[in-house]
């Protein structure tokens, strides 16, 4: 079914007072710019909602941000616009939402490091030699969260955590060496903050995205929610990530340290590689190969405008497609 046909069918099934805003980036901008909206929740996957978020910021709307790729791709542009317009960006991603709660009104000088927790995905504990034959269905079996297909694959490769490292840099002003990742398979501690005196403050809760969404909608107030029985939760385990088996996390740190346009390239190459894996064209371990190959071929440049970001993104997607073709599975 074509896009226009689907939109026509949707419009025909809506009540008279409901208007279909449109499709693609223009439709997202129309929704985010609606005059009746005070707060815009951005939870779309990928980078198509970047223009919509910037449009909402320019109109002074509070942004509840669940989308990782926007800050990875254009963190400097988005945060500068938010600061200039005096707009709050409230993180909905469970890890950054947890850090927002732990840092609540604390001075930046109090911060020693941020600790992002990761479930480890469906392949936690498996060596790199055991991952070449895993299928998309295997990778989509997340142990604790129910999410979309792309983000679930990102969790399996640990790229999801890499994206979150870059996102944390922009949201909280932390350097790469101030952001650590630990594997926490129970997904009860959503993230932690270590202060300069050695105290660690953590946010715990059930694995339910409705809670960080509610936090963003109610902030600075708190609304009633479901309870959490810490005794029934039992043990809490923590371990370091296996950077050899899951090299995507290291690639994200590399992109953050290099800065400029390299995070744009990494994000675009990852989207292409994940799509190719889900289509059965490349293997699981080829995902970081495609990303690393695209990053290594790129000469970083400044990306201070939306046009520059989109140009780099377009180049990286094309190069990643060509790189993926070179490692396609033989069927």
């Amino acid at each position: 079914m074509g896009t226009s046909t689907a939109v026509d069918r949707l419009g025909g099934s809506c009540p008279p007072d409901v208007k279909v805003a449109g499709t693609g980036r223009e439709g997202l901008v129309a929704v985010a710019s609606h005059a009746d909206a005070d707060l815009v929740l951005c939870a779309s996957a990928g980078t198509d909602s970047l223009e919509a978020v910037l449009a909402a910021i320019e109109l002074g709307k509070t942004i509840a941000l669940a989308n990782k790729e926007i800050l990875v791709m254009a963190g400097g542009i988005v945060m500068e616009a938010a600061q200039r317009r005096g707009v709050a960006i409230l993180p909905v991603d469970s890890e950054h939402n947890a850090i927002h709660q732990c840092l609540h009104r604390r001075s930046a000088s109090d911060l020693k490091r941020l600790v992002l927790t990761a479930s480890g995905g469906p392949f936690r504990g498996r060596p790199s030699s055991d991952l070449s034959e895993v299928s998309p269905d295997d990778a989509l079996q997340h142990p604790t969260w129910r999410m979309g297909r792309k983000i679930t694959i990102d969790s399996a490769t640990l790229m999801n955590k890499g994206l979150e490292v870059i996102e944390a840099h922009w949201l909280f002003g932390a350097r790469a060496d101030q952001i650590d990742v630990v594997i926490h398979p129970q997904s009860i501690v959503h993230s932690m903050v270590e202060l300069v005196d050695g105290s660690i403050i953590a946010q715990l809760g059930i694995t339910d995205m409705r809670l960080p969404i509610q936090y963003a909608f109610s902030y600075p107030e708190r609304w009633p929610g479901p309870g959490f029985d810490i005794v029934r939760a039992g043990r809490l385990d923590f371990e370091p990530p296996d950077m050899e088996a899951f090299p995507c996390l290291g690639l994200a740190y590399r992109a953050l340290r290099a800065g400029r346009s390299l995070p744009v390239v990494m994000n675009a190459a990852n989207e292409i590689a994940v799509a190719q894996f889900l289509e059965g064209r490349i293997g699981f371990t080829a995902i970081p190969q495609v990303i690393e190959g695209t990053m290594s071929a790129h000469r970083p440049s400044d990306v201070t405008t939306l046009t520059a970001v989109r140009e780099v993104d377009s180049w990286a997607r094309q190069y990643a497609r060509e790189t993926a073709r070179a490692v396609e599975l033989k069927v």
Side-chain angles (χ1 to χ4, degrees):
M1 181 187 299
T3 301
S4 59
T5 303
V7 170
D8 291 342
R9 288 187 60 183
L10 176 62
S13 65
C14 290
D17 59 340
V18 175
K19 178 183 177 182
V20 178
T23 61
R25 293 175 187 170
E26 292 183 0
L28 291 170
V29 169
V31 171
S33 304
H34 197 283
D36 292 341
D38 298 315
L39 180 148
V40 174
L41 171 64
C42 176
S44 62
T47 59
D48 281 345
S49 57
L50 173 56
E51 286 84 354
V53 168
L54 289 172
I57 289 173
E58 289 302 323
L59 292 172
K61 302 178 187 297
T62 299
I63 306 297
L65 190 61
N67 176 295
K68 300 173 177 62
E69 293 90 346
I70 284 177
L71 290 185
V72 173
M73 184 183 192
I77 295 173
V78 172
M79 298 307 292
E80 186 279 328
Q83 184 177 23
R84 174 170 46 81
R85 294 289 293 140
V87 167
I89 296 184
L90 302 174
V92 171
D93 207 359
S94 63
E95 292 82 0
H96 302 92
N97 186 270
I99 290 171
H100 190 273
Q101 296 186 54
C102 294
L103 282 176
H104 186 57
R105 295 179 181 173
R106 297 183 188 278
S107 169
S109 61
D110 291 339
L111 175 65
K112 183 176 182 181
R113 65 175 178 142
L114 308 177
V115 182
L116 298 170
T117 56
S119 70
F123 307 133
R124 179 178 64 88
R126 293 173 64 169
S128 56
S129 59
D130 196 28
L131 297 175
S132 59
E133 300 300 323
V134 301
S135 69
D137 286 342
D138 296 330
L140 289 169
Q141 302 306 309
H142 196 280
T144 53
W145 293 97
R146 295 294 172 263
M147 306 174 290
R149 286 165 60 84
K150 192 265 182 182
I151 190 174
T152 302
I153 302 302
D154 283 347
S155 179
T157 64
L158 287 194
M159 178 55 87
N160 186 52
K161 211 51 50 179
L163 298 175
E164 289 176 5
V165 167
I166 299 174
E167 188 181 5
H169 160 73
W170 289 113
L171 285 170
F172 307 113
R175 304 184 308 271
D177 62 358
Q178 289 180 296
I179 309 170
D180 286 344
V181 171
V182 299
I183 303 300
H184 170 53
Q186 292 85 4
S187 296
I188 290 172
V189 177
H190 296 301
S191 276
M192 299 173 274
V193 168
E194 183 178 1
L195 304 179
V196 291
D197 62 0
S199 298
I200 293 181
I201 301 174
Q203 189 267 333
L204 288 70
I206 60 175
T207 54
D208 189 333
M209 282 304 299
R210 288 177 295 182
L211 296 183
I213 293 171
Q214 175 176 293
Y215 175 87
F217 277 37
S218 67
Y219 185 81
E221 300 176 1
R222 285 186 182 266
W223 297 339
F228 174 66
D229 188 343
I230 195 169
V231 174
R232 290 187 61 187
R235 60 185 289 171
L236 304 176
D237 297 304
F238 303 94
E239 60 192 59
D242 185 345
M243 304 281 274
E244 179 182 350
F246 304 99
C248 284
L249 180 55
L251 292 173
Y253 272 106
R254 171 181 159 188
L256 175 57
R257 291 189 176 100
R260 303 178 77 191
S261 56
L262 201 57
V264 181
V265 171
M266 182 207 71
N267 179 72
N270 178 63
E271 289 194 16
I272 295 300
V274 169
Q276 295 285 303
F277 170 67
L278 285 170
E279 292 174 8
R281 295 179 179 273
I282 65 173
F284 182 79
T285 54
I287 294 175
Q289 293 177 28
V290 171
I291 300 168
E292 199 280 332
T294 307
M295 290 173 65
S296 294
H298 178 66
R299 297 182 63 181
S301 58
D302 292 331
V303 281
T304 57
T305 66
L306 193 56
T307 298
V309 169
R310 288 295 184 195
E311 287 177 352
V312 172
D313 178 77
S314 178
W315 173 88
R317 289 174 188 274
Q318 181 58 37
Y319 194 94
R321 289 188 186 97
E322 296 171 0
T323 305
R325 278 196 288 270
V327 294
E328 278 189 358
L329 296 170
K330 307 301 181 186
V331 294

